[in-house]
Amino acid sequence: MRLLPLVVFLLLLPNVTFSQQPSWEQLLRSWAALDDADLTEESYELLTDLAENKLNINQATREDLERLPFLSNQQIEDLCEYLDYYKPVRSLNELLLITSLDYDTRQLFRCFITVGDTLRSEKLLPSLSTIAADGRHTVLATLKVPTYERKGDRYDYLGYRYRHDIRYQFTYRDKLKFGLTGAQDAGEPFLANKNKWGYDFYSYYFQLRHMNRLEELNLGMYRVQMGMGLVMNTGFHLGKLAALQSLGRSSYVLTAHSSRSSASYLRGAAATLRMADYWHLTAFASYRPIDATLNDNGTVRTITEGTYHRTKTEMSRKDNTHLTDLGARITYKPTLRNAVASVSANVLYSRFSRSLMPYNVNASKKSDTLRYRRYALSGNDFLNASIDYNYTNYRLSFSGETAVSRDGALATIHSLTYRLSEEWTFMLLHRYYDKRYTAYHAYSFSEGGSTQNEHGAYLGATWKPRRSLFFQAYVDYARFPWARYRVSNGSEAFDAMMLARSLLYDNTTLEGRYRFRIRQRDDTGARSILNTYEHRARLRLTHPLLQTQVDAVLVKGPDVSSSGIMVSQQAQWQNSWLQLSANIGWFHTDDYDSRIYQYERSVLYDFSFPMYYGHGLRYMLMARAQWQRFTLSAKVATTNYFDRAVISSGPQQINHSAMTDILLQLRVQL
């Protein structure tokens, strides 16, 4: 009976009058064909902030467009050329004239821009009274209430079982932004223990942009992305298909950290100056605490930043180590005819207050299972330097970065894109990361999840035979010369994907995709390396009103045989003040190996990409009501398992077969 209202809603919804465009979350899923956990919480919050503070296309600079991570170099160049010749843009429908913007990218791009006046804002800030009158205040409070009790809520956790956060942000056009975010996870103490100042984590930031030669100034907490991520990338990253969509673009992004996430940020000051017409200089300094598990001698065994502080053990790790970062970047962007090019030099110095010692070289033979840590970050001081470069013309785009670490170890990545015609685009990407190369803030294209111990090649192709038909495919091969987690010797990996999408009618698309992966790992006794074969398929029919999706997975190997399926239906409706969303999905997988991830819509700034395995049903209903300057959102979501009486284990154990969470959010804009 609990499912009856949701089922009735889904059945009656097609008869409701409908008028709306898909959300940017829906369009991003279509654009990138997100799989597994490709979209991170940090990336999601960055995109949410960009969507909430839309870019005026008539005032956009090249640097503004580069902040949108889904645009390729060619698309940015075409947009800049169009704006130079035809500005002002009168309607977003003019984007149809930019041929390099395919249907999916164009629809996604519309969610992040607006059409405004062409007058660039002042080179200097106006009076405080003008800023106060024209600025916008936003206050947002979120509360998550579980209707169940975990074992840790009664015995182990130091705080209440509710998750809550509050955000305040002030913005003045595209010039000024500052704010404060306080966040608390379930089980963490509030106004107690080490959290005597209230929340477990605070994010505070101040951002100033477009001030004559001062292009950007960040104070407080911020993120930095340089080049292709071999030295520094605490910003945006997605999966392999997204790399094909954005055509391997290298970029520089300096942005405020307004997230509730306590990982991958810097704290201090950062600024970008336009030294001359073609020269730009960025410098930043950061000093921040991090969490770590310690060895008996006080050195760091594992860095655990961004984790929970619910138990006494977790709380004992909070802020027990500090990290200092000093970095700089200088960029040369010459003016070329019918092309764009740039060259940048990057340098980063990092120092930990405690020495890192993840691997004990004097350990016994029994500890040799941890030999994959032999070349992990060790010591106190680290120095990384790189050069990144790119060149783009009408048909060809080339990007690359080459970096060295303190001991001379090399990491390099290059991508080459060739636009054969309006229908065909090819991309080749090669990377080589020495097993000795270490960079704490690095995050770049990889199969193994780190910019270390990998040598691989990626080939992708896009075919658009007509506007309503779209094909993409890639193959990726990687070799790991040294041991990895669960692999005691050198190993290999193979990954291939094919995707087809057809625009049927009235914004309705049909998409099919298939992904095949080969991964290697040790057998039970670590005597030999075994191949595991993974097949994943998806069929999805999407309309702004309804979405039907079927996922299937099959995992085969000498010591594993697992399969699973998930069938889901999503729906949404809105009028001038009310928006309703619903989702119901049935899943049946053999075990964790055949787990299935699926994006789920949620309230603002709440990242929801649940994982399902076993046998059960997931259903959700969300409502968002807007009245003048107030927006109230509520979400109720339940996972009901048919194959177990207890969910999870340890402190997270729930002595029930179902778990329901209630999410409430209030936003006030002044």
Side-chain angles (χ1 to χ4, degrees):
M1 294 299 293
R2 290 180 297 175
L3 290 176
L4 184 59
L6 184 59
V7 173
V8 171
F9 174 78
L10 292 174
L11 292 176
L12 294 181
L13 199 51
N15 300 316
V16 179
T17 301
F18 176 79
S19 176
Q20 77 169 55
Q21 292 295 322
S23 66
W24 71 262
E25 297 100 321
Q26 289 176 297
L27 294 169
L28 180 69
R29 294 171 60 206
S30 178
W31 175 83
L34 297 178
D35 191 23
D36 298 342
D38 285 339
L39 182 63
T40 64
E41 182 175 357
E42 292 78 17
S43 299
Y44 171 81
E45 294 218 11
L46 174 62
L47 284 171
T48 301
D49 192 61
L50 290 171
E52 287 295 297
N53 300 279
K54 298 182 186 297
L55 175 66
N56 180 356
I57 190 65
N58 285 318
Q59 296 181 2
T61 64
R62 181 183 299 276
E63 288 73 22
D64 292 328
L65 294 172
E66 287 176 349
R67 301 173 73 88
L68 300 174
F70 48 81
L71 294 178
S72 69
N73 284 327
Q74 182 62 58
Q75 291 166 344
I76 292 173
E77 174 61 16
D78 290 349
L79 282 165
C80 289
E81 183 177 348
Y82 184 88
L83 292 173
D84 288 341
Y85 278 97
Y86 302 109
K87 192 167 62 177
V89 173
R90 303 295 185 184
S91 167
L92 293 182
N93 291 330
E94 292 184 38
L95 297 176
L96 288 167
L97 301 175
I98 302 174
T99 57
S100 62
L101 286 176
D102 60 86
Y103 175 80
D104 290 317
T105 305
R106 186 169 59 251
Q107 292 296 96
L108 181 60
F109 184 48
R110 291 167 66 105
C111 297
F112 294 88
I113 59 173
T114 185
V115 175
D117 61 72
T118 59
L119 295 177
R120 189 72 193 176
S121 54
E122 310 87 346
K123 290 187 177 181
L124 297 175
L125 283 176
S127 64
L128 292 178
S129 59
T130 301
I131 294 175
D134 296 343
R136 184 180 69 177
H137 302 265
T138 302
V139 179
L140 187 144
T142 307
L143 172 67
K144 184 175 183 179
V145 181
T147 61
Y148 48 85
E149 184 181 62
R150 298 183 177 94
K151 183 179 179 181
D153 296 327
R154 180 174 297 181
Y155 300 107
D156 300 302
Y157 293 159
L158 301 173
Y160 298 105
R161 55 193 177 128
Y162 311 108
R163 193 200 82 185
H164 51 97
D165 58 72
I166 188 166
R167 301 167 184 259
Y168 166 76
Q169 181 171 281
F170 175 84
T171 56
Y172 172 73
R173 301 183 181 178
D174 63 344
K175 306 276 288 185
L176 176 65
K177 179 170 71 173
F178 61 83
L180 174 70
T181 300
Q184 192 83 16
D185 284 307
E188 295 178 336
F190 184 76
L191 288 172
N193 208 287
K194 289 186 178 181
N195 298 338
K196 294 181 180 180
W197 293 100
Y199 283 100
D200 182 73
F201 174 73
Y202 286 99
S203 175
Y204 45 90
Y205 54 94
F206 175 91
Q207 185 180 69
L208 194 62
R209 303 182 66 230
H210 301 308
M211 297 289 291
N212 206 343
R213 290 191 178 274
L214 178 62
E215 293 189 348
E216 186 159 344
L217 171 67
N218 277 267
L219 302 176
M221 295 179 176
Y222 58 93
R223 294 177 181 273
V224 178
Q225 180 178 347
M226 300 190 298
M228 300 187 76
L230 297 187
V231 170
M232 168 72 76
N233 181 7
T234 61
F236 187 87
H237 30 78
L238 276 177
K240 292 182 180 179
L241 201 62
L244 179 58
Q245 289 282 60
S246 60
L247 302 178
R249 174 167 70 93
S250 63
S251 62
Y252 168 73
V253 176
L254 179 63
T255 184
H257 176 74
S258 59
S259 171
R260 71 186 311 276
S261 171
S262 58
S264 302
Y265 68 89
L266 302 179
R267 186 178 71 176
T272 299
L273 299 174
R274 181 167 51 86
M275 306 298 293
D277 289 341
Y278 306 141
W279 292 91
H280 298 75
L281 174 66
T282 297
F284 57 91
S286 169
Y287 179 76
R288 54 155 300 196
I290 58 175
D291 299 358
T293 57
L294 305 180
N295 296 308
D296 294 338
N297 60 0
T299 58
V300 173
R301 182 170 67 252
T302 308
I303 298 172
T304 59
E305 67 162 323
T307 55
Y308 298 107
H309 303 122
R310 301 164 300 184
T311 65
K312 291 181 179 179
T313 300
E314 292 173 348
M315 185 61 75
S316 68
R317 304 188 191 118
K318 183 177 181 180
D319 300 346
N320 62 1
T321 306
H322 286 78
L323 172 62
T324 301
D325 290 296
L326 301 173
R329 172 183 174 89
I330 186 166
T331 301
Y332 174 63
K333 291 184 177 181
T335 300
L336 302 177
R337 186 175 181 179
N338 301 322
V340 176
S342 69
V343 179
S344 301
N346 313 290
V347 62
L348 175 66
Y349 170 76
S350 302
R351 178 176 176 81
F352 291 86
S353 60
R354 297 177 184 268
S355 180
L356 307 186
M357 190 179 291
Y359 179 79
N360 185 357
V361 296
N362 298 318
S364 64
K365 185 72 174 179
K366 183 178 180 181
S367 299
D368 206 42
T369 55
L370 300 181
R371 67 193 301 261
Y372 70 92
R373 294 185 182 178
R374 182 182 292 273
Y375 296 103
L377 282 165
S378 60
N380 289 88
D381 301 271
F382 303 90
L383 181 66
N384 295 88
S386 76
I387 297 177
D388 68 84
Y389 28 83
N390 70 78
Y391 171 86
T392 300
N393 62 25
Y394 176 71
R395 290 196 178 276
L396 183 142
S397 180
F398 173 75
S399 298
E401 183 175 10
T402 300
V404 293
S405 57
R406 61 179 181 181
D407 56 356
L410 181 72
T412 183
I413 180 171
H414 295 90
S415 71
L416 177 66
T417 301
Y418 185 70
R419 189 179 181 187
L420 183 64
S421 64
E422 295 293 338
E423 293 80 24
W424 283 98
T425 303
F426 296 92
M427 176 182 168
L428 176 65
L429 185 145
H430 171 265
R431 73 272 189 192
Y432 170 76
Y433 310 141
D434 192 285
K435 65 183 179 184
R436 297 176 296 114
Y437 180 80
T438 52
Y440 179 67
H441 294 293
Y443 192 103
S444 190
F445 187 102
S446 71
E447 167 66 25
S450 68
T451 54
Q452 185 182 34
N453 184 37
E454 182 170 331
H455 188 192
Y458 170 100
L459 176 63
T462 300
W463 180 38
K464 305 171 187 175
R466 55 178 183 269
R467 178 181 175 272
S468 60
L469 199 56
F470 177 86
F471 297 94
Q472 277 191 320
Y474 72 76
V475 292
D476 183 47
Y477 169 80
R479 169 72 183 169
F480 311 103
W482 185 249
R484 302 170 60 224
Y485 177 66
R486 299 185 69 182
V487 188
S488 56
N489 291 292
S491 58
E492 301 173 330
F494 178 81
D495 184 8
M497 176 185 285
M498 296 178 292
L499 179 144
R501 184 183 302 121
S502 176
L503 177 63
L504 302 179
Y505 61 90
D506 192 23
N507 288 329
T508 300
T509 60
L510 178 63
E511 176 187 300
R513 53 176 286 185
Y514 167 71
R515 187 175 189 179
F516 172 66
R517 307 179 78 177
I518 303 176
R519 293 179 173 180
Q520 295 184 326
R521 64 183 182 185
D522 289 338
D523 62 6
T524 305
R527 294 180 298 271
S528 61
I529 295 179
L530 307 176
N531 284 342
T532 299
Y533 303 91
E534 181 181 291
H535 307 262
R536 289 185 179 270
R538 173 177 296 167
L539 185 63
R540 179 164 60 199
L541 180 66
T542 303
H543 183 272
L545 173 63
L546 293 168
Q547 176 179 282
T548 304
Q549 181 171 307
V550 179
D551 288 272
V553 58
L554 174 64
V555 182
K556 284 286 187 180
D559 60 345
V560 60
S561 179
S562 181
S563 62
I565 188 171
M566 183 170 187
V567 181
S568 61
Q569 177 73 60
Q570 298 183 20
Q572 62 182 35
W573 168 87
Q574 75 174 35
N575 61 17
S576 59
W577 64 276
L578 179 64
Q579 182 182 96
L580 298 177
S581 302
N583 174 61
I584 185 168
W586 170 81
F587 57 94
H588 194 178
T589 78
D590 292 336
D591 49 36
Y592 180 80
D593 288 322
S594 53
R595 62 194 179 277
I596 295 174
Y597 293 84
Q598 188 176 93
Y599 168 80
E600 183 176 86
R601 198 167 191 185
S602 191
V603 300
L604 279 175
Y605 296 101
D606 183 69
F607 180 69
S608 183
F609 217 125
M611 174 188 67
Y612 305 100
Y613 69 93
H615 186 200
L617 197 66
R618 171 74 174 187
Y619 43 98
M620 176 276 291
L621 180 63
M622 187 177 77
R624 179 178 297 166
Q626 186 170 358
W627 179 72
Q628 295 183 357
R629 299 180 183 271
F630 298 87
T631 303
L632 179 64
S633 302
K635 174 183 175 180
V636 180
T638 299
T639 305
N640 190 1
Y641 291 96
F642 305 147
D643 60 347
R644 67 196 72 173
V646 174
I647 301 174
S648 194
S649 60
Q652 291 290 96
Q653 179 176 311
I654 303 169
N655 294 322
H656 203 277
S657 62
M659 50 187 292
T660 300
D661 291 287
I662 301 173
L663 200 59
L664 303 172
Q665 185 180 86
L666 175 65
R667 181 175 66 168
V668 182
Q669 293 179 298
L670 303 174

